[in-house]
Amino acid sequence: MQSDGVKNIRPLGFQWATSDPFLFCVHHEDFYPAGKENMGPDPQLLAGRLLGQDFQLRDGWRMYHGTTVPGFPSHPHCGFETVTIVRNGYIDHSDSMGGYGRFGKGDVQWMTAGRGVQHAEMFPLLHSDKGNPVELFQIWLNLPAAAKKAPPHYTMFWRERIPVYRHHDSYGRETVADIIAGQLYGRQAPSPPPDSWAADPAHAVGIWHMLMEPGAEFTLPPAAAGVNRSLYFYKGKSLQINGHAVEAYHAIDADARSSLKLVNGDKTGMLLVLQGKPIGEPVVQHGPFVTTTYAEIHEAIRNYQRTGFGGWPWPVNDPVHPRHRGRFAHYSDGKEENISQE
């Protein structure tokens, strides 16, 4: 390990490798065309695509597992949490608990799968007269063994309620940090779900999205010993971290005990920062099932086959909500939140 706080610099792939307590992170960016009445692309544009398994970036976008609307139709999760940060566009959520909603343009959904849940994440193409760009991160945060059978739960962090820290360096150049988990320079994120590893401040879980103006300088403060910290420099041209030159689309694994001086290059830079104390338990993963032993994996799969994690209450496996609906969340207890469209 280098004494200046930079441990490793590595290129990013489609799935971003993470450190305990995280499992992985995926960055999606697609430039979808105008939507048709069903909120999917023109069927003529789907010719030649491997529908149901379309991960090839063709014409600037992918259908993923969707066949008419892009996205991820009903699928199970068990034993971990998803943190979905939508920077642009919208996601229509539906789940086996009876919850559903639409979020986007800076909103974050935090879902504890716990003992098991099914959900769908579809990308409705709401605009019929122009393109529908979508950009999001999905972060998988592990649960400790004691919480892996917690009841499923999801909550929304609407963008209006996510704390923002703004820093201006000596030249007036700005760095803006959205604080999704943890705290940064006195700004505290909303409370995560109750069974999350992040719910205990001693675990020092931090999820921060940072935007740096060209030439901006910013110092990331140190964290406690034993914390894993990684920075994902996914947009921009170049970045200096404690004197180390970093090219765009690279990750930096850092010693969290050291402060990190960031100096952005001559283009706007964007980073995602993930940190937290490791759970330190075995991780056994089979697709969307995460446990600590192989026996528990088999048990989780049998449980899903037997119960469907509550069943699927929707008439189709890729539901989307009416085009006119704004940002909203309907929870399994009947509570509903309605937020403006833009």
Side-chain angles (χ1 to χ4, degrees), residues 100-117:
Y100 56 98
R102 171 173 291 159
F103 61 100
K105 294 293 184 79
D107 299 326
V108 175
Q109 184 202 66
W110 195 314
M111 187 183 78
T112 304
R115 62 182 175 236
V117 66

Side-chain angles (χ1 to χ4, degrees), residues 258-275:
S258 299
S259 60
L260 298 175
K261 183 178 180 180
L262 313 182
V263 182
N264 190 29
D266 59 6
K267 290 188 176 180
T268 299
M270 296 188 184
L271 303 95
L272 184 70
V273 181
L274 302 179
Q275 72 169 43

Side-chain angles (χ1 to χ4, degrees), residues 49-118:
R49 290 181 178 268
L50 187 61
L51 292 180
Q53 194 74 281
D54 177 25
F55 284 77
Q56 181 181 2
L57 190 62
R58 175 180 165 186
D59 301 325
W61 49 277
R62 295 157 284 208
M63 288 294 289
Y64 299 105
H65 295 308
T67 55
T68 56
V69 176
F72 297 85
S74 58
H75 57 281
H77 288 303
C78 175
F80 63 98
E81 299 184 287
T82 59
V83 182
T84 307
I85 305 167
V86 184
R87 300 288 301 168
N88 199 10
Y90 296 92
I91 291 181
D92 277 6
H93 164 88
S94 306
D95 65 45
S96 57
M97 300 178 288
Y100 56 98
R102 171 173 291 159
F103 61 100
K105 294 293 184 79
D107 299 326
V108 175
Q109 184 202 66
W110 195 314
M111 187 183 78
T112 304
R115 62 182 175 236
V117 66
Q118 287 192 71

Side-chain angles (χ1 to χ4, degrees), residues 166-309:
R166 297 180 181 273
H167 171 80
H168 293 89
D169 63 22
S170 58
Y171 296 97
R173 292 173 294 215
E174 188 176 52
T175 297
V176 180
D178 297 330
I179 304 165
I180 296 156
Q183 66 87 27
L184 182 65
Y185 287 116
R187 304 288 197 278
Q188 181 67 49
S191 298
D195 294 294
S196 176
W197 183 249
D200 186 342
H203 298 154
V205 174
I207 302 174
W208 309 315
H209 181 274
M210 297 172 56
L211 184 152
M212 302 183 72
E213 289 185 341
E217 299 183 6
F218 177 77
T219 298
L220 197 63
V227 170
N228 288 330
R229 173 183 280 178
S230 296
L231 292 74
Y232 300 87
F233 178 43
Y234 72 96
K235 278 190 182 177
K237 183 177 180 182
S238 61
L239 184 72
Q240 294 277 335
I241 299 186
N242 284 2
H244 291 267
V246 182
E247 296 178 354
Y249 226 67
H250 279 70
I252 303 94
D253 300 316
D255 181 353
R257 297 171 298 179
S258 299
S259 60
L260 298 175
K261 183 178 180 180
L262 313 182
V263 182
N264 190 29
D266 59 6
K267 290 188 176 180
T268 299
M270 296 188 184
L271 303 95
L272 184 70
V273 181
L274 302 179
Q275 72 169 43
K277 286 192 174 180
I279 295 172
E281 296 175 348
V283 174
V284 179
Q285 182 177 351
H286 180 78
F289 302 91
V290 179
T291 65
T292 57
T293 68
Y294 287 102
E296 290 168 338
I297 283 285
H298 296 312
E299 177 187 354
I301 294 172
R302 286 194 299 268
N303 187 33
Y304 171 59
Q305 292 171 338
R306 185 176 66 253
T307 69
F309 292 156

